Each structure stands twice: as structure tokens, then as C-alpha cells.
């Protein structure tokens, strides 16, 4: 799965996610990616999230919208992302990762899986990582 | 307002031999999308550009490089969402197109629906002039090896991480 979130100079926010799905899946299986609030969500008033990971688990907790709910409650992008991923792990034993932005341009790339490749650009600076803590 | 773009190339276990290509791929996608933001472009244009680049990179599980289903075929899903209007578009179980994310955007821009699936998505792509590509062009040697190893081992998935999409 791949995905992106962005805030432009007008303050508009968007997300996109795309996937080949799950290895050896049944024909016709559809996971979280094309489901609003699961594979992604964007709202100028709150922020945007793109997700990756255990698709069925992400769907059960509507991970993207759950993270934005935590942001609506005042959590930072990092804290909200971690709270959403922790809830998914504790409730449905699911692992995954997210990229998140808020309307002020704060961003996060967080994951509960062993690895997630990610990259970010802001103020002409490129950030990237693969392991926790990078 | 400071523009920002963040991308991911998927969660799970990334084999060491693929980690450098994966990191290079996300960095390249970020540069492509961020250039649009720097030029005054929209966040929607930026995320679609970044994800299209990742779909075209065989190191990632989307577009070219998608994992194979139980029949050894490619079925892809994608979504876009616009935070200004809450407009969204998605496709699921779509086959034989290079960039499902661009088709998802067409669903958002050109229809009153939120998601088109399978044959209907393919028909919509054709109506929109989106070219079809041979399924073989989306399948990498790595994808073939992955699914072959599972079948030979008589398993449905590799590991818990292997279940990730």
C-alpha cells in the first residue's frame, strides 16, 4: 500500500491511498483502502490521514477517522496517530501505519508494524525513515 | 501557510534487499508531489502525483508491483479525498490500469458516486479514456516469487506481517 497527505498554500488538505491489497487474497477481497474513513480521510477543519497495514483491522476501527477524532479532541498529530494505532492493536490485534497532517501543517509518520517507509517535505527540507525513531 | 507533503510506502516487514529502493522511492515521490505544492498547486494534485509515482515504482505494493491474489492476478484499490469539499472517489478490485489513484480522482470529479468496483470501474475507465495495460505489465518477478512460495508451502499467508496490504 502507498499513500500521501498534503496541505497546500491555500490551506486545503487532501489524501490519497492506493494498494494491490493483501498477498494471496481471495478474488474480490476489498480491504480498507477504498473505504472512506478507513484507508484515508481528509477534512480542512481537522486534518488528513492515509493508512496502511492489516486492512480488515483498519476497517473495524475506521482508523483514519478515529485518528482525526482524537485530533478534534485536541490531540497532536503524533499523539492522535499513536492513539489510533494503539487502539487498533489492543482491540483487534491489528498492526499498521499512518501519515497524518493538520491544517497548521504539523505532520506525523507513525507505525506499529516493524517498519514503514515514509517521506515528508516541508520548508524545502526532506525527511524520511524506515524504522521506528527515524 | 507552509505547504507540506507526507507519503508512505506501506507498513510491514521490508526485506533488507528492498529497503534502499523503498526509501529512495518514497523520497522521489515526495519530491514530485512537493514540487507541485511549491509551484502553487493544490494538495489534491500533489497527493495524486506522489501516489502515481509510487504506483509506477515496482518496489511498492500498488500499481506495478501489486501483490497477487490467490489466482495469481492483480486487483487494485484506491481512494482520494478533498478536505475542502469532503468530496471523495474510490475504485476497488480494478484491473489492468496503471494508476488506480487517477481513476479514483475521476470518480470524484466526474461522477456523483463515492466508489466504483470491478467491471464497473473498468467500464468507467474506458469511458474516461483511461488506457488499459496488460496485466503482465503490473506483475513483477518479486510478486510471482512471493505467491509461489506461499502456494508451495501450502499456506495462505507468510506471517502476521504478510497479511498487511
Amino acid at each position: 500500500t502507498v499513500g500521501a497527505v498534503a496541505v497546500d498554500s491555500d490551506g486545503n488538505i487532501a489524501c490519497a491511498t492506493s494498494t494491490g491489497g493483501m498477498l494471496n487474497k481471495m478474488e474480490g477481497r476489498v480491504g480498507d483502502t477504498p473505504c472512506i474513513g478507513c484507508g484515508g480521510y481528509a477534512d480542512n477543519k481537522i486534518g488528513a490521514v492515509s493508512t496502511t497495514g492489516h486492512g480488515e483491522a483498519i476497517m473495524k476501527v475506521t482508523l483514519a477517522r478515529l485518528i482525526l477524532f482524537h485530533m478534534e479532541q485536541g490531540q497532536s498529530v503524533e499523539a492522535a496517530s499513536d492513539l489510533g494505532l494503539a487502539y487498533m492493536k489492543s482491540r483487534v490485534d491489528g498492526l499498521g501505519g499512518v501519515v497524518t497532517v493538520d491544517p497548521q501543517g504539523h505532520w506525523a509518520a507513525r507505525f506499529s508494524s516493524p517498519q514503514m517507509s515514509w517521506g515528508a517535505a516541508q520548508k524545502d527540507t526532506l525527511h524520511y525513515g524506515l524504522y521506528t525513531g527515524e | 501557510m507552509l505547504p507540506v507533503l507526507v507519503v508512505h510506502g506501506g507498513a510491514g516487514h521490508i526485506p533488507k534487499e528492498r529497503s534502499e529502493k523503498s526509501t529512495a522511492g518514497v523520497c522521489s515521490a515526495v519530491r514530485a508531489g512537493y514540487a507541485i505544492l511549491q509551484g502553487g498547486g493544490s494538495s489534491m494534485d500533489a497527493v495524486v502525483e506522489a501516489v502515481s509515482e509510487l504506483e509506477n515504482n515496482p518496489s511498492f505494493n500498488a500499481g506495478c508491483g501489486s501483490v497477487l491474489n490467490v489466482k495469481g492476478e492483480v486487483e487494485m484499490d484506491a481512494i482520494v479525498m478533498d478536505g475542502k469539499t469532503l468530496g471523495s472517489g474510490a475504485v476497488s478490485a480494478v484491473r489492468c490500469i496503471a494508476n488506480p489513484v487517477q481513476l479514483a480522482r475521476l470518480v470524484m470529479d466526474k461522477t456523483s458516486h463515492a466508489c466504483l468496483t470491478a467491471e464497473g470501474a473498468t467500464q468507467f475507465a474506458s469511458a474516461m479514456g483511461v488506457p488499459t495495460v496488460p496485466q503482465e505489465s503490473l506483475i513483477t518477478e518479486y510478486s510471482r516469487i512471493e505467491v509461489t512460495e506461499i502456494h508451495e508451502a501450502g499456506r495462505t499467508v507468510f506471517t502476521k506481517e504478510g497479511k498487511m496490504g
Side-chain angles (χ1 to χ4, degrees):
Chain A
T1 306
V2 303
V5 292
V7 186
D8 62 31
S9 54
D10 293 327
N12 291 320
I13 296 176
C15 72
T17 310
S18 181
T19 190
M22 190 176 82
L23 178 60
N24 209 35
K25 64 187 178 182
M26 290 177 67
E27 188 178 17
R29 178 264 188 184
V30 174
D32 62 296
T33 295
C35 301
I36 298 173
C38 300
Y41 200 86
D43 185 336
N44 276 12
K45 294 181 181 299
I46 314 165
V49 179
S50 172
T51 68
T52 172
H54 289 136
E56 280 72 8
I58 290 170
M59 296 166 87
K60 289 172 185 174
V61 302
T62 55
L63 182 62
R65 194 61 185 83
L66 176 62
I67 289 168
L68 292 177
F69 166 79
H70 286 303
M71 290 164 62
E72 283 181 289
Q73 303 304 307
Q75 298 288 343
S76 68
V77 289
E78 294 90 352
S81 300
D82 289 344
L83 283 167
L85 289 165
Y87 185 78
M88 184 170 81
K89 187 174 183 180
S90 67
R91 289 290 285 138
V92 292
D93 194 28
L95 301 177
V98 299
V99 289
T100 307
V101 292
D102 72 12
Q104 289 73 46
H106 301 120
W107 62 272
R110 311 293 288 184
F111 50 99
S112 55
S113 54
Q115 292 157 279
M116 180 180 82
S117 55
W118 62 269
Q122 189 174 43
K123 300 179 189 175
D124 297 328
T125 302
L126 179 67
H127 310 262
Y128 59 91
L130 191 64
Y131 298 95
T132 302
E134 288 186 324
Chain B
M1 179 62 63
L2 290 170
V4 60
L5 175 77
V6 194
V7 310
H8 68 76
H13 170 67
I14 300 168
K16 200 167 186 178
E17 66 271 18
R18 288 171 68 89
S19 61
E20 282 188 22
K21 286 183 179 176
S22 183
T23 299
V26 292
C27 289
S28 177
V30 167
R31 288 190 190 96
Y34 191 62
I36 289 175
L37 295 178
Q38 286 180 306
S42 73
S43 54
M44 178 57 69
D45 286 343
V47 295
V48 170
E49 177 65 24
V51 169
S52 294
E53 175 145 338
L54 292 166
E55 287 176 335
N56 294 337
N57 187 327
S59 298
F60 299 100
N61 173 25
C64 177
S66 289
V67 295
L68 305 183
N69 69 13
V70 69
K71 293 176 70 177
E73 298 171 343
V74 172
E75 292 182 320
M76 302 169 290
D77 310 324
I79 190 171
V80 298
M81 189 161 183
D82 179 346
K84 182 178 182 182
T85 63
L86 300 190
S88 65
V91 291
S92 64
V94 67
R95 298 166 184 252
C96 297
I97 63 167
N99 295 111
V101 72
Q102 295 177 18
L103 187 59
R105 184 172 187 180
L106 285 169
V107 171
M108 179 180 74
D109 289 343
K110 304 293 186 184
T111 82
S112 58
H113 304 304
C115 184
L116 295 177
T117 193
E119 182 59 26
T122 302
Q123 290 176 17
F124 174 69
S126 177
M128 290 292 105
V130 176
T132 57
V133 299
Q135 178 171 254
E136 291 299 308
S137 70
L138 303 174
I139 299 176
T140 62
E141 186 61 23
Y142 185 80
S143 297
R144 284 190 209 283
I145 291 170
E146 271 191 318
V147 81
T148 300
E149 287 181 354
I150 283 182
H151 290 168
E152 288 178 353
R155 289 179 289 182
T156 54
V157 293
F158 271 126
T159 63
K160 190 175 179 185
E161 284 73 33
K163 289 180 181 176
M164 291 188 189

